[in-house]
């Protein structure tokens, strides 16, 4: 993580001195030398650069980055502009429309959410191209568990959206009673019909924020600005 560019750095600096961190960085470096790895090096920590710790209101936890070419850019569930929407993101947009009435956008970039304080965190921050889960159990989970713990330490209410069994296992890290936890099945096509659809996570998150005296999130995903 680039020094001095984010308020996460002093909160996470102790991790950089741990043996696992050096081993993890050597692993990822070796993977990049031998394989294509996503996201690009400069986007691995995009979630932390776009959403400051001080501004974090909502945390959405994913598992691994997308492993298709051009998809992953450091924000869970989000894809680069111009990339076809993955099925899970299509279902997120469907629930967003059912919940708040917002028309699904034509792109999959969730940067607008991140800039408002929605930390779009994957538990594992890199992946080998076309090889899902290939970078699990190499140390990233230790680092991202620490991120969750640091968010848990915030005195302001944070809403944790835990979608799917993997994310829900992290509930034990959320110990402060002033936080809100909204759980449901994962938005993937395999499980969305088992309770993600109809769970109203977006309106419920805003209700929890407003009840705590915090500004709600504008969950609309605006059209991309024209570059013409």
């Amino acid at each position: 993580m680039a020094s001095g560019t984010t308020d996460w750095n002093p909160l996470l600096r102790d991790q950089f001195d741990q043996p696992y961190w050096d081993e993890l960085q050597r692993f990822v470096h070796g993977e990049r030398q031998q394989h294509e790895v996503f996201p690009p090096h400069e986007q691995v920590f995009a979630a932390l650069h776009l959403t400051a710790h001080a501004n974090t209101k909502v945390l959405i936890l994913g598992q691994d980055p997308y492993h298709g070419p051009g998809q992953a850019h450091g924000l869970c569930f989000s894809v680069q502009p111009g990339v076809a929407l993955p099925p899970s993101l299509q279902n997120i947009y469907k629930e967003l429309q059912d919940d708040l009435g917002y028309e699904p956008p034509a792109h999959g970039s969730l940067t607008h959410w991140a800039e408002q304080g929605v930390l779009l965190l994957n538990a594992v921050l890199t992946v080998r191209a076309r090889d899902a889960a290939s970078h699990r159990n190499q140390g990233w989970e230790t680092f991202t568990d620490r991120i969750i713990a640091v968010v848990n330490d915030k005195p302001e209410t944070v809403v944790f959206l835990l979608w799917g069994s993997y994310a829900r296992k992290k509930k034990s890290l959320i110990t402060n009673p002033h936080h809100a936890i909204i759980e449901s099945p994962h938005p993937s096509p395999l499980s969305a019909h088992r309770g993600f659809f109809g769970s109203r996570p977006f309106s419920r998150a805003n209700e929890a924020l407003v009840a705590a005296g915090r500004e709600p999130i504008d969950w609309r995903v605006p059209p991309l600005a024209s570059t013409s």
Side-chain angles (χ1 to χ4, degrees):
M1 193 161 61
S3 177
T5 58
T6 163
D7 66 351
W8 293 97
N9 195 284
L11 300 169
L12 301 172
R13 188 176 293 138
D14 62 327
Q15 300 300 296
F16 309 148
D17 297 326
Q18 301 296 321
Y20 88 86
W21 184 259
D22 286 339
E23 293 172 8
L24 170 61
Q25 298 311 307
R26 282 195 296 270
F27 168 77
V28 174
H29 179 72
E31 284 282 288
R32 289 195 187 277
Q33 288 186 316
Q34 299 180 52
H35 307 281
E36 191 174 13
V37 171
F38 301 130
H41 173 75
E42 65 274 11
Q43 294 177 338
V44 169
F45 301 107
L48 302 181
H49 287 280
L50 285 171
T51 308
H53 174 266
N55 296 336
T56 299
K57 298 178 181 178
V58 177
L59 189 154
I60 300 178
L61 184 66
Q63 296 185 41
D64 297 277
Y66 294 121
H67 55 86
Q71 292 181 309
H73 64 126
L75 307 178
C76 73
F77 295 107
S78 180
V79 292
Q80 297 270 34
V83 174
L85 301 183
S88 290
L89 184 54
Q90 291 181 39
N91 287 339
I92 289 170
Y93 283 173
K94 183 178 187 300
E95 179 60 21
L96 179 62
Q97 184 173 24
D98 290 345
D99 186 5
L100 294 174
Y102 298 149
E103 288 287 331
H107 67 90
S109 174
L110 302 179
T111 301
H112 178 64
W113 292 0
E115 291 170 343
Q116 295 181 78
V118 181
L119 183 63
L120 296 166
L121 181 68
N122 275 314
V124 177
L125 299 186
T126 55
V127 68
R128 189 187 301 174
R130 293 168 288 276
D131 190 1
S134 51
H135 286 189
R136 289 190 193 176
N137 301 318
Q138 298 293 337
W140 280 129
E141 295 92 339
T142 301
F143 181 63
T144 55
D145 279 359
R146 179 58 185 158
I147 293 172
I148 295 169
V150 165
V151 174
N152 178 64
D153 288 341
K154 283 175 64 72
E156 309 92 348
T157 293
V158 175
V159 181
F160 292 81
L161 297 184
L162 305 181
W163 294 338
S165 60
Y166 183 90
R168 294 165 91 167
K169 289 176 183 176
K170 303 294 184 179
K171 187 176 179 179
S172 62
L173 299 173
I174 308 163
T175 57
N176 278 336
H178 60 267
H179 297 315
I181 301 172
I182 299 173
E183 303 177 70
S184 79
H186 195 274
S188 78
L190 297 175
S191 56
H193 289 280
R194 297 204 299 263
F196 176 76
F197 290 142
S199 63
R200 301 177 54 248
F202 309 104
S203 62
R204 291 168 64 196
N206 278 352
E207 288 165 5
L209 290 171
V210 171
R214 307 200 74 183
E215 285 291 316
I217 302 296
D218 176 9
W219 291 105
R220 285 173 292 191
V221 180
L224 295 172
S226 174
T227 56
S228 59

